[in-house]
Amino acid sequence: MIIWVNGAFGSGKTTLVAELHRRLPAALVLDPEQVGFLLRGIVDVPTGDFQDLRLWRQQTAGLAAGLWQEYNRPVLVPMTLVDAGHLAEIFTALENAGTPLHHFFLRVPPDVLARRIDARTVAPHDPERDRAARAWCRAQVGRCVAAADFMPPGTVFLDGERPCRDLADEVLVRVGSGMRG
């Protein structure tokens, strides 16, 4: 099964997946951002957002489904996915591959997201890149928060201000019957 943890930048996706992985050490962690970095090193990304590359969406869905099918272990995916078309394309591909998907969306107020983003360090040895990364994430807050309104049926909304251990408990209870590996 795929456990996809979605939400705005700064909502706690990576932290929640790390806690889930601590509790499910056999699970595989797939960070689709790495797929984007790989593609960005090979081809131009005209919009600047690798999610706009059809190949990124195909590879992300294929890799997630393939990991689950090949290794018979849960796959944890922390990834902001808020473009309705991109989300539908990836989730439809997973469904067509017969991959069980549990989709969680972390809701966090915009002011909290801004504080969390400002507290991050992305590139500690490159202050300009670090500043640019934070600015880009802050600029996405509005559309990421608004995306909660069009998440697909079956999406479980979580209060991203709750303690991570409590969120992990809830995720594991909700997916418990589908666990394998």
Side-chain angles (χ1 to χ4, degrees), residues 11-49:
S11 62
K13 300 175 302 297
T14 301
T15 302
L16 177 54
V17 163
E19 177 63 17
L20 290 168
H21 193 231
R22 185 185 70 75
R23 296 179 189 202
L24 300 170
L28 303 170
V29 176
L30 169 61
D31 183 351
E33 195 167 337
Q34 298 301 316
V35 176
F37 294 155
L38 173 69
L39 287 171
R40 189 177 280 151
I42 299 170
V43 297
D44 289 330
V45 182
T47 66
D49 185 349

Side-chain angles (χ1 to χ4, degrees), residues 80-120:
T80 298
L81 193 54
V82 297
D83 179 286
H86 297 169
L87 187 144
E89 184 178 338
I90 290 171
F91 285 9
T92 298
L94 291 171
E95 180 182 328
N96 290 343
T99 309
L101 172 66
H102 296 274
H103 180 225
F104 296 89
F105 189 94
L106 291 165
R107 288 186 193 244
V108 178
D111 61 317
V112 174
L113 292 169
R115 278 197 313 271
R116 290 179 181 179
I117 290 166
D118 288 343
R120 285 181 168 177

